[in-house]
Amino acid sequence: MDERVREHAAVLVDWSARIEAGDDVVVSVAEDAHDLGVAVAEALGERGANVTTLYGSDELSRAYLKGAEAGSEGDGDDGSDASDDGDASDDGDTSDDGSDASDGAAPVFDDDPAVDRAIFEAADAYLRIGGGRNTTATADVDRETRRAYATARKGVREARMDTDWVSTVHPTRSLAQQAGMAYEEYQDFVYDAVLRDWAALADEMAHMKDVLDAGDEVRIVTERDDAPDTDVTMSIAGRTAVNSAASVAYDSHNLPSGEVFTAPYDTAGEAFFDVPMTIDATRVRNVHLVFEDGEVVDFSAETGEDALESVLDTDAGARRLGELGIGMNRGIDRFTDSILFDEKMGDTVHMAVGRAYDACLPDGESGNDSAVHVDMISDVSENSRMEVDGEVVQRDGTFRWEAGFEADE
Amino acid sequence: MDERVREHAAVLVDWSARIEAGDDVVVSVAEDAHDLGVAVAEALGERGANVTTLYGSDELSRAYLKGAEAGSEGDGDDGSDASDDGDASDDGDTSDDGSDASDGAAPVFDDDPAVDRAIFEAADAYLRIGGGRNTTATADVDRETRRAYATARKGVREARMDTDWVSTVHPTRSLAQQAGMAYEEYQDFVYDAVLRDWAALADEMAHMKDVLDAGDEVRIVTERDDAPDTDVTMSIAGRTAVNSAASVAYDSHNLPSGEVFTAPYDTAGEAFFDVPMTIDATRVRNVHLVFEDGEVVDFSAETGEDALESVLDTDAGARRLGELGIGMNRGIDRFTDSILFDEKMGDTVHMAVGRAYDACLPDGESGNDSAVHVDMISDVSENSRMEVDGEVVQRDGTFRWEAGFEADE
């Protein structure tokens, strides 16, 4: 085994998740992430933690969801009495029985199944190791099916996010392919991003957190000849920024990380996201959003607009921002069509529609609520500025505490 | 995908586990059992069941247990204060804290970790799909470690056995290798054993169940020139035989199955088991057991005696029989070094030391209790007889309701 796999496991278990003896740890291992799963299991055994391993296979998920679609068509041989009237009045977010849905409707899923709920209610930590064999393995699952499934599992998701959860990936051939890179080249890319001096990066990012914590309003402007302008403002008053240093000790849940993020509200204006992304296995490019009174009132995408629309229609919160993030990890040197890496890259900012992270909110206050959280990224390396309360904090990718920063154009 | 994989999944879900809409189903998928896992997930989606998928990887288990061994040596760099005095008074079955064990002792595991306990307490059914990449993947784990781990997880195991559980295997190259067969030949072997008319076999096995339910004492005798004789008697009074027709509806939990078994007690005499087996990744051949007052008082094995000894030393119940089984599946035509198949083969009987199955016991009565259940098999095709209350029921493999049976020699 490549020694970097064991180093990755040690960072995940010790720096990121802060596992201690006696902790009940749930590990999800994707199809091709076996080697990192083995290294993590070994580390957990050494630390005296308990481990339960889930199989995080996209192909199994796809099969289950396609099976549910077939079952909901009422053509089963099990004597079920699915109605055939086509009057599908349930849209998947209110029904709670396990019976077949009507023809043409999305399958109906049980709300928060008992086993999955019990797992995350009992777990201290959840380590998700991504890395399948095909990043588009679920491409032929209907969007309505995905939405119904996600909506039915909101309680499971919340229980999971109440653990010390960390999401990482094992470098696989499918992720290398998605990144357009050779396998060994991609391995180097991943380990360069993961095996860092995280304590030092945390110190660096503390500057940005201080600015956002003290500020009330953020404005982001980009002016480019080849794309629609961005000019968007949002309130961050009363919100707390997270210094996302790849550790639960910093309320940070991604490995690698390297961003500072907060939970904005009252967003207004227009924003353009030029970094390509994949939503539900669909390629989405050049997203343009128009906000009024905190809500997306108009949208377009050059490709994948249907996937974007499906996200925005998930629920009321899916049209409001849950996150504004500032990428500060200059160890990540290219876009690889993976949100885990792309959103952390220096010279980028990102906004997510959907669920806000509790860590950004005052105790007892709830932020934007949704079954989804979908990040969209803008390159701010040129012709851009970010202002906090009218003062420029970052221009053309350079922060004001860095050499070369210019306050005025 | 081979259509037989989907047929296997349908037998597992419908005939064996009797899954219905709304059931909470836990599926464990071994490393190379992905395809059957996919087919099962699809079937569960169609039936409207909920699914949680565990990764049943022997390599992960091995890594965790080896990690625990390394951690218990007190050489961690985490500042733990493992004692070095060598006075290891805990033997792994009474301690319940998560601290490091002393040098030289087996690792100490938490009793019944919360997540695993919660999973099986919440589950309606558990489908275990075996089929790794190396049937000896855990060969270098210390026996003391295995024992400590098994002992600590007794409550988890009991909760799992309180579900509608079914164990099967996907035909993998490693299992083909263990069986000494080509891959495609082994696939045919497995599907011939699994894709049967189970209702018809259940009717056939009902004869044997009736005999055992009515009987008080079983005697098994084999007399062969090339091996020690078997002459063993055991009481079955008050016990109920299971017609193991590969369905939870018959209290049967293996797919394939095809045996009738009960829970004997007061065993006396000697028994010889000539069918080779694998215990904890160790090859064990030609086991000889001597029973007095229901307990193994002497034992030997031509190879693997240490592994046998470790099993018998697990706990008090490990030296008593938990099962007597009569193989009746004549669709299985050879030994493949897999207990799932070997013990079901016609012309064999098997006895297991360790835990008895509740289905054989009167309500409220507890049978033999142990952390282990290890089956040992005898070929009874020649020079053998089984008597129930003094009457010969099977001679040289032929049952008394079959053509060619001879009551007297």
Side-chain angles (χ1 to χ4, degrees):
Chain A
M1 188 185 288
D2 187 327
E3 192 50 37
R4 294 177 298 180
V5 181
R6 284 209 171 81
E7 292 169 19
H8 187 172
V11 171
L12 179 63
V13 166
D14 296 326
W15 171 265
S16 294
R18 311 276 160 139
I19 302 300
E20 297 179 358
D23 281 354
D24 293 306
V25 184
V26 175
V27 181
S28 172
V29 180
E31 288 152 19
D32 253 10
H34 178 81
D35 283 2
L36 182 54
V38 166
V40 167
E42 185 178 61
L44 293 173
E46 279 179 15
R47 309 303 184 268
N50 302 306
V51 63
T52 300
T53 312
L54 301 176
Y55 187 40
S57 162
D58 284 346
E59 289 189 357
L60 254 77
S61 298
R62 182 257 178 203
Y64 178 73
L65 296 172
K66 295 301 282 183
E69 287 175 2
S72 75
E73 284 163 12
D75 61 356
D77 55 0
D78 57 358
S80 65
D81 55 356
S83 71
D84 271 327
D85 61 11
D87 178 19
S89 57
D90 55 340
D91 60 7
D93 60 1
T94 53
S95 297
D96 60 1
D97 66 9
S99 65
D100 291 344
S102 301
D103 275 12
V108 176
F109 296 98
D110 287 356
D111 283 341
D112 299 322
V115 174
D116 287 348
R117 207 174 53 222
I119 287 173
F120 295 108
E121 285 173 355
D124 296 308
Y126 172 62
L127 309 181
R128 181 185 176 280
I129 306 174
R133 295 188 286 200
N134 172 5
T135 61
T136 58
T138 63
D140 65 346
V141 177
D142 288 349
R143 287 205 188 85
E144 295 299 312
T145 303
R146 298 168 197 273
R147 194 170 75 167
Y149 187 72
T151 302
R153 298 172 67 81
K154 198 158 163 247
V156 171
R157 196 165 42 251
E158 282 171 2
R160 197 168 61 216
M161 294 182 75
D162 279 344
T163 69
D164 284 340
W165 66 273
V166 181
S167 185
T168 193
V169 294
H170 184 59
T172 59
R173 287 169 177 82
S174 70
L175 289 169
Q177 176 178 322
Q178 179 157 299
M181 293 167 78
Y183 179 46
E184 301 214 337
E185 180 187 22
Y186 184 71
Q187 289 177 307
D188 291 343
F189 167 81
V190 168
Y191 294 121
D192 285 351
V194 165
L195 303 179
R196 291 178 61 85
D197 181 344
W198 286 105
L201 183 55
D203 289 345
E204 197 182 318
M205 293 192 296
H207 293 296
M208 190 72 224
K209 172 176 162 60
D210 290 345
V211 169
L212 293 176
D213 284 351
D216 291 332
E217 188 183 81
V218 175
R219 180 182 178 201
I220 295 169
V221 179
T222 63
E223 291 161 340
R224 287 163 51 177
D225 293 340
D226 58 343
D229 290 348
T230 288
D231 191 347
V232 63
T233 61
M234 56 198 82
S235 179
I236 57 167
R239 298 294 163 90
T240 304
V242 168
N243 177 347
S244 183
S247 170
V248 296
Y250 288 82
D251 289 316
S252 172
H253 300 274
N254 286 176
L255 177 66
S257 192
E259 61 167 322
V260 175
F261 66 86
T262 189
Y265 53 98
D266 286 352
T267 311
E270 305 190 21
F272 184 71
F273 304 94
D274 56 344
V275 178
M277 60 184 158
T278 301
I279 299 179
D280 285 344
T282 300
R283 192 76 167 159
V284 180
R285 287 172 194 273
N286 291 343
V287 169
H288 185 243
L289 300 180
V290 181
F291 292 89
E292 281 179 23
D293 295 331
E295 199 169 285
V296 175
V297 294
D298 196 17
F299 64 90
S300 67
E302 199 176 293
T303 60
E305 192 171 286
D306 284 358
L308 176 65
E309 182 171 14
S310 177
V311 164
L312 295 173
D313 287 348
T314 305
D315 48 35
R319 287 187 172 247
R320 296 173 186 275
L321 288 190
E323 180 187 356
L324 166 70
I326 319 298
M328 295 181 66
N329 186 339
R330 294 217 168 90
I332 300 171
D333 61 355
R334 61 171 91 188
F335 296 112
T336 56
D337 193 20
S338 164
I339 193 65
L340 182 66
F341 295 86
D342 290 353
E343 68 171 5
K344 314 304 186 322
M345 183 168 158
D347 292 3
T348 68
V349 299
H350 59 277
M351 301 170 209
V353 291
R355 186 192 164 97
Y357 292 109
D358 287 344
C360 302
L361 306 166
D363 270 347
E365 192 170 313
S366 56
N368 192 40
D369 190 23
S370 174
V372 296
H373 178 99
V374 173
D375 295 283
M376 293 173 263
I377 306 172
S378 295
D379 182 338
V380 294
S381 61
E382 291 181 350
N383 301 315
S384 83
R385 67 181 189 279
M386 177 172 62
E387 299 172 5
V388 176
D389 296 343
E391 284 196 49
V392 178
V393 175
Q394 182 185 33
R395 182 185 301 280
D396 301 345
T398 304
F399 294 101
R400 77 175 180 214
W401 52 85
E402 293 183 306
F405 173 77
E406 293 173 25
D408 304 303
E409 287 184 275
Chain B
M1 188 186 288
D2 187 328
E3 193 50 38
R4 295 176 298 180
V5 180
R6 285 208 171 81
E7 293 169 20
H8 187 171
V11 171
L12 179 63
V13 166
D14 296 325
W15 170 265
S16 294
R18 310 277 160 139
I19 301 301
E20 296 178 358
D23 282 353
D24 293 306
V25 183
V26 175
V27 182
S28 173
V29 180
E31 289 153 17
D32 254 10
H34 178 81
D35 283 1
L36 182 54
V38 166
V40 166
E42 186 178 60
L44 293 173
E46 279 179 16
R47 309 302 184 268
N50 302 307
V51 62
T52 299
T53 311
L54 302 176
Y55 187 40
S57 163
D58 284 345
E59 288 189 357
L60 255 77
S61 298
R62 182 255 178 204
Y64 178 73
L65 295 173
K66 295 300 283 184
E69 287 174 2
S72 74
E73 283 162 12
D75 62 355
D77 56 1
D78 57 359
S80 65
D81 55 356
S83 72
D84 270 328
D85 59 12
D87 177 19
S89 56
D90 55 341
D91 59 7
D93 59 0
T94 54
S95 296
D96 60 3
D97 66 9
S99 66
D100 289 348
S102 302
D103 274 12
V108 177
F109 296 98
D110 287 356
D111 283 340
D112 299 322
V115 174
D116 287 347
R117 207 174 51 221
I119 287 173
F120 295 108
E121 284 172 357
D124 295 309
Y126 171 62
L127 309 182
R128 181 185 176 279
I129 306 175
R133 295 187 287 199
N134 171 4
T135 61
T136 57
T138 63
D140 65 346
V141 177
D142 289 347
R143 286 205 189 88
E144 294 298 311
T145 303
R146 297 169 198 273
R147 195 170 75 167
Y149 187 71
T151 302
R153 298 171 68 81
K154 198 159 161 246
V156 171
R157 196 165 43 249
E158 282 170 3
R160 198 169 60 216
M161 294 181 76
D162 280 343
T163 69
D164 284 340
W165 65 275
V166 182
S167 185
T168 193
V169 294
H170 184 60
T172 60
R173 287 171 177 81
S174 71
L175 289 169
Q177 176 178 322
Q178 179 157 298
M181 294 168 78
Y183 179 45
E184 301 214 338
E185 180 187 23
Y186 184 71
Q187 289 177 307
D188 291 344
F189 167 81
V190 168
Y191 293 122
D192 285 350
V194 164
L195 303 178
R196 292 177 61 86
D197 182 345
W198 286 105
L201 183 55
D203 289 346
E204 197 182 319
M205 293 192 296
H207 292 296
M208 190 72 224
K209 172 176 162 59
D210 289 346
V211 169
L212 293 176
D213 284 353
D216 290 332
E217 187 183 82
V218 175
R219 181 181 178 202
I220 294 169
V221 179
T222 62
E223 290 161 342
R224 287 162 49 177
D225 293 340
D226 58 342
D229 290 346
T230 287
D231 190 348
V232 64
T233 60
M234 57 198 82
S235 178
I236 57 168
R239 297 293 164 90
T240 304
V242 169
N243 177 346
S244 183
S247 171
V248 296
Y250 288 82
D251 289 315
S252 172
H253 300 275
N254 286 176
L255 177 67
S257 193
E259 61 166 322
V260 176
F261 65 86
T262 189
Y265 54 99
D266 285 351
T267 311
E270 304 191 20
F272 183 72
F273 305 94
D274 56 343
V275 177
M277 60 185 160
T278 301
I279 299 178
D280 286 345
T282 300
R283 193 74 168 161
V284 180
R285 287 173 195 272
N286 292 345
V287 170
H288 185 243
L289 300 181
V290 180
F291 292 89
E292 281 179 22
D293 295 332
E295 199 168 285
V296 175
V297 293
D298 196 15
F299 64 89
S300 68
E302 198 176 295
T303 60
E305 192 171 286
D306 284 358
L308 176 65
E309 182 171 14
S310 177
V311 164
L312 296 173
D313 287 347
T314 305
D315 48 34
R319 287 187 172 248
R320 296 174 187 273
L321 288 190
E323 182 188 354
L324 166 69
I326 320 297
M328 295 182 65
N329 187 337
R330 293 215 168 92
I332 299 172
D333 61 355
R334 62 171 91 189
F335 296 112
T336 56
D337 193 21
S338 164
I339 193 64
L340 182 65
F341 295 87
D342 291 352
E343 68 172 4
K344 314 304 186 322
M345 184 168 158
D347 293 1
T348 68
V349 298
H350 59 277
M351 300 170 209
V353 292
R355 185 190 166 96
Y357 292 109
D358 287 344
C360 302
L361 305 167
D363 269 348
E365 193 170 311
S366 56
N368 192 41
D369 191 23
S370 174
V372 296
H373 178 98
V374 174
D375 295 282
M376 293 174 264
I377 306 172
S378 295
D379 183 337
V380 294
S381 60
E382 291 180 351
N383 300 317
S384 81
R385 67 182 189 277
M386 178 172 62
E387 300 172 5
V388 176
D389 296 343
E391 284 195 49
V392 179
V393 174
Q394 183 185 34
R395 183 185 300 280
D396 300 346
T398 303
F399 294 102
R400 76 174 181 216
W401 52 84
E402 292 183 307
F405 173 76
E406 292 173 26
D408 303 305
E409 285 182 276

